[in-house]
Amino acid sequence: MEPPIVLSCLAGRRVHLGVCGSVAAYKALDLMRLFRKARLRVSVVLTPAATRFVTPLSFAALEAEAVDTDMFAAGEGAPFGHLRPRAVADAFVVAPASATTLARLAAGLADEMLAAQALAFSRPLVLAPAMNPGMWANAATQANVRCLQERGHSLVLPVLGRVACGEEGQGRLADLEDIFWALLSKLCPQDMAGKTLLVTLGPTREPWDGVRCWTNLSSGRMGAAVATAAFLRGARVLAVAGPGAPRLPGGVERHDTGTAREMFAAARSLWPQADAGIFTAAVADYSPLPLGEGKFKKRQAGESLSIAFSGNPDILFHLAAERRIGQKVVGFAAETSDLEAQATAKLEWKKADMIVGNLVGGADSGFAGDKNTVFVRDIHGRAESWPVLSKADVAWRLLDWLETL
Ligand code: C5P
């Protein structure tokens, strides 16, 4: 499983992962791998019950910097191992969190290592419970959950489904990606809190007949990186996504669309709520004139075929024209040649505040892949060419720049 985003600015940040005695404990190994692939440093603590499900050795093999189990163990850091996460970790995530550990944390008990470390910890604590639906629904567990939320801890709630014992209900550990997002947002500055960002992303799909369409190769990854980075920095994000755009954090308000006109209608209705819009979508400039619901047959055309197209609205251009004072507009320009000149011309005629140009077709740039090589220009005359960066890092830097517009 690959992490959905890897941000250079978070490399080396330290996470303490607590694991409780639940069948879902094995999933903590995958979570640990996600954290490592996201270039975070990870230490681990297992409750005594957790060691019956997974071994400390497994976490050590995945490069955990320390794996604590026993509060009274001798060795490095003893006797103050319960204070080490407090001293070094930027965030503490407990996944899976059992009913017992939730009760311990709510009551402030410190009778085993995980609970003692959590009680001493003063930075963000994220709890992802997993248990039998009956145990989850129990009034005692629910009271503990409310108590922990009221104290400001983040809970990634269990989801509905079949749990290990075969019962159906709420109790399954949340998706690892959702736990990952919750943790990552705790490591990011919340400098976009209070802002609303509109992002368009992905391709559009223009139907031609009942089975065929006109589209392009946009993966939506650049826009997904922008939406995700803004979300992690505390913004409210309104994402208008074309077909096949990647998964986004659950907290992003996603609006799925198909055609350019649908994307335009969705973006236009959301635009008044936004402080800024970043238009990364590869919108079809023209749509084939549709041939109806059925499948077009070759015999209707003969040897060659001409298709008529009609123009689509330019979403960026229209929303820039309709913007209220203070709303910022960032456009993208995917080009195959003369990048700087083409991007600069687009900044002017689309009346954007900033344009991000990239050459499509290169190995480290464009629609597919995780990397991009961009040229950025804004209306204040500032221009920069950036080296090859991951799309996540391009997104992060664009948001930094957006703040200065
Ligand atoms: O003119 P061009 O398609 O190259 O412009 C690219 C920029 O304009 C991108 O930001 C893209 O999202 C936006 N655009 C749009 N609506 C269109 C065409 C492009 O919002 N119909």
Side-chain angles (χ1 to χ4, degrees):
M1 186 172 179
E2 291 304 312
I5 196 165
V6 181
L7 289 159
S8 298
C9 58
L10 297 184
R13 300 294 295 280
R14 298 172 80 140
V15 177
H16 194 54
L17 171 62
V19 185
C20 300
S22 149
V23 182
Y26 72 93
K27 296 183 184 171
L29 291 164
D30 275 339
L31 190 60
M32 156 117 205
R33 295 183 73 186
L34 275 187
F35 292 157
R36 291 293 302 138
K37 286 184 183 171
R39 294 157 64 191
L40 304 174
R41 296 174 65 177
V42 187
S43 54
V44 177
V45 58
L46 306 179
T47 62
T51 62
R52 310 295 288 266
F53 291 89
V54 280
T55 67
L57 185 64
S58 305
F59 292 96
L62 295 178
E63 300 181 309
E65 297 192 1
V67 187
D68 301 319
T69 50
D70 177 3
M71 201 149 52
F72 302 106
E76 202 192 334
F80 299 110
H82 64 301
L83 302 182
R84 192 173 16 79
R86 171 185 173 78
V88 302
D90 297 300
F92 193 155
V93 54
V94 185
S98 65
T100 301
T101 289
L102 296 178
R104 281 196 183 109
L105 301 184
L109 289 177
D111 59 346
E112 56 79 42
M113 191 57 138
L114 187 157
Q117 290 179 334
L119 194 62
F121 200 70
S122 52
R123 296 199 190 88
L125 178 61
V126 176
L127 303 163
M131 63 197 73
N132 166 275
M135 294 168 82
W136 173 251
N138 188 288
T141 305
Q142 290 302 308
N144 290 333
V145 166
R146 272 195 304 280
C147 161
L148 292 163
Q149 283 173 319
E150 280 162 16
R151 284 186 201 147
H153 303 312
S154 298
L155 271 106
V156 188
L157 297 180
V159 293
L160 288 170
R162 181 187 286 265
V163 294
C165 61
E167 248 181 76
E168 296 270 349
Q170 189 177 6
R172 279 174 66 88
L173 186 69
D175 269 6
L176 297 188
E177 267 194 19
D178 291 324
I179 303 172
F180 179 83
W181 296 128
L183 185 271
L184 234 58
S185 67
K186 299 295 172 205
L187 300 177
C188 290
Q190 296 301 290
D191 55 346
M192 294 187 72
K195 299 262 172 66
T196 300
L197 185 71
L198 173 70
V199 182
T200 67
L201 66 151
T204 59
R205 188 184 288 162
E206 317 297 323
W208 179 59
D209 69 358
V211 296
R212 300 182 181 90
C213 64
W214 172 255
T215 186
N216 61 68
L217 296 176
S218 169
S219 63
R221 286 194 207 176
M222 189 62 243
V226 169
T228 300
F231 172 74
L232 291 174
R233 290 166 73 156
R236 175 177 175 223
V237 180
L238 312 171
V240 180
R247 195 169 171 228
L248 299 171
V252 169
E253 295 169 45
R254 179 181 181 132
H255 303 262
D256 282 299
T257 58
T259 64
R261 285 176 187 277
E262 283 167 15
M263 186 177 272
F264 180 45
R268 193 179 212 179
S269 72
L270 295 167
W271 183 225
Q273 302 177 47
D275 297 295
I278 301 193
F279 299 87
T280 72
V283 186
D285 293 319
Y286 298 91
S287 300
L289 290 183
L291 279 188
E293 305 284 296
K295 183 181 173 194
F296 176 80
K297 294 278 186 272
K298 206 160 47 178
R299 65 173 180 275
Q300 292 174 248
E303 280 306 298
S304 67
L305 173 69
S306 301
I307 300 176
F309 285 83
S310 65
N312 283 324
D314 189 306
I315 303 170
L316 164 62
F317 178 81
H318 276 88
L319 298 193
E322 289 174 10
R323 79 184 124 179
R324 58 166 196 277
I325 292 170
Q327 264 183 318
K328 304 291 180 207
V329 172
V330 179
F332 271 67
E335 305 295 343
T336 48
S337 63
D338 297 331
L339 178 63
E340 297 193 10
Q342 300 277 9
T344 304
K346 239 164 235 183
L347 175 74
E348 282 162 20
W349 85 258
K350 298 220 182 195
K351 309 245 179 320
D353 296 292
M354 177 171 161
I355 196 94
V356 185
N358 66 312
L359 283 176
V360 284
D364 290 327
S365 196
F367 284 162
D370 287 327
K371 294 191 178 137
N372 219 346
T373 315
V374 302
F375 164 77
V376 189
R377 182 181 286 281
D378 73 14
I379 36 150
H380 305 300
R382 289 181 292 175
E384 288 181 12
S385 288
W386 292 349
V388 182
L389 293 170
S390 70
K391 287 182 174 171
D393 288 341
V394 170
W396 194 270
R397 286 197 189 193
L398 289 179
L399 295 175
D400 285 344
W401 195 322
L402 178 65
E403 294 293 287
T404 70
L405 280 177

